[in-house]
Amino acid sequence: MDAAVKGTGTTLESIEPIERETIKRVAWRLIPLLMLGYFCAYLDRSNVGMAAPTMSPDLGFSNAVFGFGAGLFFFGYFLAEIPSNLILNKAGARRWIARILITWGIVSGLTAFVWDEWSFYGVRFVLGLAEAGFYPGVVLYLTWWFPSYYRTRMMALFQSASVVSLIIGPPIGTVILWTHGIAGLHGWQWLFIIEAVPPCIMCFVIWAMLTDRPKDAAWLSLEQRTWLQNRLDSEMAQREAVRKYSLGDAFMNPKMWLLTVAYFGQNVAGYGLVFFLPLIVKGLGVPTDWLGVVAALPYLCAFFTMIAMGYHSDKTGERTWHVAFSCLLCGCGLGACVLIGVDHPAVTMVALCLAVMGQQCISPLFWSIPSAMLTGAAAAGGLAMINAIGNLGGWLGPSVFGLVKDATHSDNLGLLCLAVAPIISAIAIVAVGHDRRLERMMNN
């Protein structure tokens, strides 16, 4: 295998021109499309947190009701995730991702018209069904296009779209909330309606511009298509020489379940922060008009950190300790918030920034581990299983935080509960151990 995969000594000059030009063209063609899609996804997932400070009083929701309803998204997601990814593997990414975008856009817009807790629960559950398969579908899709040496940094670029949405989403949400009273609607209703439009538009963009496989890429030369397919086929053969997992093997393997536990834990912390960060920031004494700007600061810090970590992980070929360090940074940052307390809001914000930086680095680093182990239908099903069950942490985190906040009238114990989860994730990821497939590919 060429010098591009020979460890930490790789330089830009050592990469052959055909590789450099092919990867560059594929990245510029596909990654912006996928980033725009994920930007829309995260905007529609997280706008409920921005709506919470006004939506909950208008509808009479307690913190527990809001947290439970916001997290119900992940139960719908859980039920449809594996079937959705298996369909994507068969039907192709272009058609299936376009379908996902249009359906979740419509359902997200309907959130504007909920009238009580049960209608809120129902629309959040259906939104999870509608969006299921997008994220693991993209993780799978990247394995169809990018060799292992490039995959973590490409995953970090894709994942950065969620961070961008959390940086610019809150300020945009703040502006949209000023529309309160127009056409007799509350500001939070306009928030859901307006932010449902981008995924509906992206449905048609994806349909027109996404390409399923390298062999279908008319925008690559024949030489580039041949090089890319040969490189991907060679890597697949090396993985399967170590062990070829069937779909059943992927579901039964203990390492897959440890990875699921690790992903579950990071989602407990991640979505607890996504849904409640505006309320946590408000509790530090930040005025309502500044909530969006201040709540975006931790994600601005995380944007640069996750890109750097993804690049460093690819250059070194090391995955396990990068993920474990990110988990520990998240847990320690959240724990520090409890120790510092609301009497020192500036220092607490620094701790929140560290926690979010760690949490946002986890996912792009994490997915390089199972995607190096699984191929074919086992990859489609196994990645979906990890994501589906792991994302139930996105229900548990907000639910526990909401219950604890109602019971104690303080964020501290809730933050402590969130802090424990990524620590467990770090332990689980170290227990999985280093997978030798990547090492073999790096040294061949």
Side-chain angles (χ1 to χ4, degrees):
M1 193 172 289
D2 57 55
V5 291
K6 289 185 179 178
T8 59
T10 300
T11 63
L12 184 63
E13 292 75 16
S14 70
I15 300 175
E16 294 180 3
I18 181 66
E19 176 174 354
R20 186 184 307 115
E21 290 303 316
T22 302
I23 296 299
K24 180 180 178 181
R25 183 169 294 187
V26 171
W28 277 106
R29 171 77 181 203
L30 301 181
I31 296 299
L33 291 174
L34 299 173
M35 287 178 67
L36 284 170
Y38 197 44
F39 175 87
C40 295
Y42 232 81
L43 203 62
D44 284 347
R45 284 189 192 184
S46 60
N47 58 13
V48 70
M50 196 63 206
T54 52
M55 178 185 183
S56 291
D58 285 344
L59 298 178
F61 291 171
S62 66
N63 287 305
V65 166
F66 173 76
F68 180 79
L72 268 177
F73 168 91
F74 296 102
F75 277 95
Y77 203 82
F78 166 75
L79 292 175
E81 186 86 327
I82 294 174
S84 179
N85 224 37
L86 291 174
I87 292 171
L88 182 145
N89 190 49
K90 290 288 186 180
R94 181 177 68 92
R95 282 180 288 183
W96 197 245
I97 290 177
R99 193 284 305 162
I100 291 171
L101 282 160
I102 191 72
T103 51
W104 102 50
I106 292 170
V107 175
S108 180
L110 292 175
T111 311
F113 304 103
V114 300
W115 62 92
D116 62 9
E117 60 189 71
W118 288 103
S119 60
F120 179 55
Y121 294 163
V123 79
R124 291 294 296 177
F125 178 78
V126 175
L127 181 62
L129 292 174
E131 193 186 315
F134 178 81
Y135 185 89
V138 171
V139 175
L140 177 64
Y141 184 72
L142 292 177
T143 69
W144 298 350
W145 283 92
F146 292 100
S148 293
Y149 179 71
Y150 299 94
R151 203 169 293 155
T152 301
R153 75 192 76 174
M154 294 304 166
M155 190 65 197
L157 285 170
F158 164 71
Q159 186 86 23
S160 70
S162 68
V163 181
V164 172
S165 77
L166 292 169
I167 294 170
I168 70 174
I172 291 172
T174 299
V175 173
I176 295 174
L177 289 173
W178 294 345
T179 60
H180 179 78
I182 296 177
L185 297 177
H186 296 284
W188 62 265
Q189 291 178 296
W190 280 115
L191 179 68
F192 288 115
I193 293 169
I194 293 171
E195 292 191 350
V197 174
C200 295
I201 295 173
M202 278 304 300
C203 163
F204 299 100
V205 175
I206 290 291
W207 181 271
M209 299 189 65
L210 202 67
T211 306
D212 280 332
R213 301 274 187 169
K215 64 181 178 63
D216 304 316
W219 39 271
L220 289 177
S221 69
L222 177 60
E223 182 185 16
Q224 289 171 330
R225 291 198 300 270
T226 302
W227 175 86
L228 181 57
Q229 195 60 63
N230 288 343
R231 172 73 169 267
L232 294 168
D233 289 345
S234 174
E235 289 193 357
M236 181 181 293
Q238 289 183 56
R239 292 190 190 100
E240 294 181 349
V242 177
R243 177 174 177 181
K244 183 176 181 179
Y245 287 89
S246 67
L247 185 58
D249 291 336
F251 291 158
M252 298 300 293
N253 188 274
K255 286 190 174 185
M256 293 298 114
W257 285 101
L258 281 171
L259 289 169
T260 301
V261 169
Y263 197 62
F264 183 95
Q266 73 90 21
N267 276 316
V268 168
Y271 284 102
L273 286 169
V274 165
F275 293 146
F276 280 99
L277 188 59
L279 291 175
I280 294 170
V281 170
K282 187 177 182 180
L284 296 176
V286 176
T288 300
D289 288 347
W290 285 92
L291 276 182
V293 175
V294 177
L297 288 177
Y299 294 101
L300 180 62
C301 298
F303 175 82
F304 297 102
T305 307
M306 67 192 300
I307 299 297
M309 285 284 280
Y311 183 80
H312 188 264
S313 179
D314 272 345
K315 292 293 287 184
T316 61
E318 202 290 314
R319 311 302 193 190
T320 300
W321 292 107
H322 280 74
V323 179
F325 172 79
S326 300
C327 292
L328 292 172
L329 181 61
C330 177
C332 292
L334 290 171
C337 291
V338 178
L339 296 175
I340 297 165
V342 296
D343 293 334
H344 305 281
V347 183
T348 300
M349 276 303 301
V350 172
L352 280 172
C353 287
L354 291 173
V356 172
M357 287 164 61
Q359 196 281 321
Q360 290 294 318
C361 286
I362 297 169
S363 285
L365 298 166
F366 170 87
W367 287 109
S368 60
I369 298 174
S371 65
M373 299 170 67
L374 304 172
T375 58
L383 297 177
M385 179 194 77
I386 293 169
N387 196 60
I389 299 174
N391 265 309
L392 290 179
W395 165 79
L396 183 63
S399 297
V400 169
F401 190 94
L403 286 168
V404 171
K405 186 175 175 67
D406 279 345
T408 64
H409 304 290
S410 170
D411 293 330
N412 283 350
L413 190 54
L415 285 170
L416 190 60
C417 292
L418 297 184
V420 172
I423 303 298
I424 295 173
S425 295
I427 295 169
I429 207 73
V430 171
V432 171
H434 178 64
D435 193 87
R436 296 294 178 183
R437 290 167 181 78
L438 181 62
E439 183 179 290
R440 288 181 56 167
M441 285 185 284
M442 296 288 287
N443 292 325
N444 281 344

